[in-house]
Amino acid sequence: MLNNKFLNTKETAIAMGISTSYLRKLERLGLPYHQLSTNSYKYFRLDEINDWLKKEGFIRKTTWRKKV
């Protein structure tokens, strides 16, 4: 699942098996993303996302969820 390719929001959600609304919730929690300017689209790298999820204590069952 590691990939250095930049993905847009929809592509990232599909690759992770989650909804775009859940991806936006993860953004508010600190999920790393890239933007060319403050008004541009957000882009993601799956390798950075996986590292962040593990660091923040998320586990994958069917989708990524916070450990309880």
Side-chain angles (χ1 to χ4, degrees):
M1 189 170 173
L2 294 178
N3 190 341
N4 290 329
K5 180 181 171 189
F6 285 94
L7 303 173
N8 65 28
T9 301
K10 186 175 181 179
E11 293 169 334
T12 303
I14 290 169
M16 293 178 65
I18 61 173
S19 67
T20 55
S21 60
Y22 189 66
L23 180 63
R24 289 188 186 99
K25 178 181 179 180
L26 293 175
E27 284 177 40
R28 290 190 297 274
L29 295 174
L31 183 75
Y33 61 87
H34 303 271
Q35 280 183 295
L36 298 175
S37 70
T38 55
N39 295 329
S40 69
Y41 291 109
K42 295 177 182 176
Y43 296 95
F44 303 87
R45 285 184 32 186
L46 292 178
D47 57 338
E48 291 177 346
I49 291 172
N50 284 325
D51 291 344
W52 181 83
L53 289 168
K54 290 176 186 173
K55 183 182 125 224
E56 293 297 316
F58 285 82
I59 57 171
R60 184 171 189 144
K61 290 191 178 182
T62 55
T63 60
W64 286 98
R65 297 286 182 227
K66 185 80 172 177
K67 286 184 186 176
V68 181

